[in-house]
Amino acid sequence: MQFKSPPLIQALQRAMPRRGTLGKSHGLSYGQSPLLAAPTPAWRSQFLLGLVGLAFAGLLGRTLYVQAIATDFFKKQGQVRTVHQLELPASRGSISDRSGQLLATSVAVPSFWAIPGEVDADPAKRRALAAALGLSAEELQKKLDPNSRFVWLLRHASEQQLAQLQALKLKGVFQEREYQRRYPEGEAAAHVVGFTNLEERGQEGIELAYQQDLQGQDGQRAVVRDRLGRIVEDVGERVPAVNGHDLALSIDAKVQYYAYQRIRDAVQANGAKAGSVVVLDTLSGEVLALANYPSYKPDERQHLSGAQLRNRALTDVFEPGSTMKPFTVSLALDSGRVRPDTVIDVSPGTMTINGATISDAHAAGALTVAQVIQKSSNIGTVKMALQMPARELHEMFSAIGLGQRPDIKFPGAVTGRLRPYKSWRTIEQATMSYGYGLSASLFQLAHAYTVFARDGELIPVTLLKRGSAEPVPGSRVFSAATARTMRQMLQTVTAPGGTSPQAQVAGYSVGGKSGTAYKQEGTGYNKSKYRSWFVGLAPISKPRIVVAVMLDEPTAQFHDGGRVAGPVFAEVVAQSLRLLKVPADLDVKAHIQAAVEPASTSFWSLQQASVSNLSSCQGLTC
């Protein structure tokens, strides 16, 4: 079978020269090609010329639009792609104690970021990058999303990580300087100072309370970057950073650290859930220590719990129990209803009001008002309280700061609970007189005791260092004579025969009141759980500090405030007064001898251990 070529192919074959002809002739007659001889319509060339003309017109219009009409828009887009605003981070203000010792400071540290689309794609280098960052290959791949133009690889690199990342010299990975917060005092001052997040914004404590003062204002620097992220030149004026203000706290770092150690040891020794200590300067109203346990390390917050973060001295409220008795008795003394030697019948150790029974821990037949404080008699206190209108008690409780938020700039400080007196029943007035039916924080309780230290005045307190060493004025609650008399009574509590001899301090006269209360759960009390505390002042002859100690749920041998919180009070007082260079006001040898001799039940005979006659004290100059 033979196949014939198509007619067009046959025509081309006829038109082509035979073999060897091209070598003999120097060209072809293309005019004889049947393809070129075919007629071409004129509209085709005109159509093509029109298309070319329209294309040039479009380009000309686009050029006119870009260069003349939308100039600002395209300039802006060009700047977005080449000009970058770099933040010049402000250094956060430092936080120091009253003597200038740093509690929080910022240090410059390297951080690393990347342009994902430009990061070196070599598998080996990416594996090395993931190892340096502490990430798996999958985590790194997810982080380097090619659709992103910026990603943080590592914030606040360690020295080891810095060396590893710099050695890799990866394309598309850049180093930036940031600031990281450091806390030299660690756990001891954590609840006071607080901490910041990665952006150095305060999250807790003083860092949060004074965020605006500490933060400062970041500056700006406009630069042109090339496609590799390198800075080519600066553009415009640089706006310098304004660093944050430094803060000097009233806290004494040494007192704070010692108080933290003592409450930590006491919590562990007594099998307690938690504990707190507050130390106040009675001259200036400055907070010298505010310690809590359990605590945390502000630099290591990976596994924090709410129990660690709580500043219990300010955020936890409780019924203060017997620590309220001195205020009730002071009101009775101040109003002239009783004198220190007024005898009150407390037999048979119980009394019933509105169907509820009130009892004393130890029954007694008759006690003087001074002995009501010394022996911590509920019945003696109630009998004095019921002689007074409810309004008077309520006004006194309000005057010492109960039911009100402490006037300090600190997050989480609570108000406590003090119900309006018009709703009190007789039994409620009775129980409030010895600390049940109202609530307060340990900080509020410590603040209230400045009334006795400052001759009847409640002084304002602060967490910031005061500029003046002069005693701050306060608001009058009791007369100076009543406050001095109550100081003497409080001293008998720590003397032999009192409820808290464990609170005595060698060389210093001290006084205070212990408290032990069942923990309230729901509408009732759990009689297997206690809060124990001791609040007092020293030296009695010329008070310089108020110290309040609280332990939550002690489960060891003892649970009463005198034996659980009293020793912590004694240790903190002794160390604090030495650090403040307060001279001893008792003869140590005579003090020890008096402590081991049989105690007299006479209030006035217990004052003989004091160096000076307290009844002759006038204000803070005695």
Side-chain angles (χ1 to χ4, degrees), residues 30 63 83 92 133-134 185 188 215 221-222 241 271 278-279 287 303 320-321 354 409 487-488 493 583 612 614:
Y30 292 102
T63 302
V83 178
R92 189 174 178 86
L133 297 175
E185 292 302 306
Q215 183 179 19
R221 173 192 177 196
V278 178
V279 182
V287 181
H303 306 291
N354 299 140
K409 190 176 179 181
R487 288 210 299 268
Q488 295 173 345
V493 173
S612 60
L614 299 179

Side-chain angles (χ1 to χ4, degrees), residues 23-44:
K24 296 177 182 178
S25 63
H26 296 286
L28 294 173
S29 178
Y30 292 102
Q32 296 178 357
S33 171
L35 291 175
L36 296 177
T40 303
W43 64 269
R44 284 190 179 182

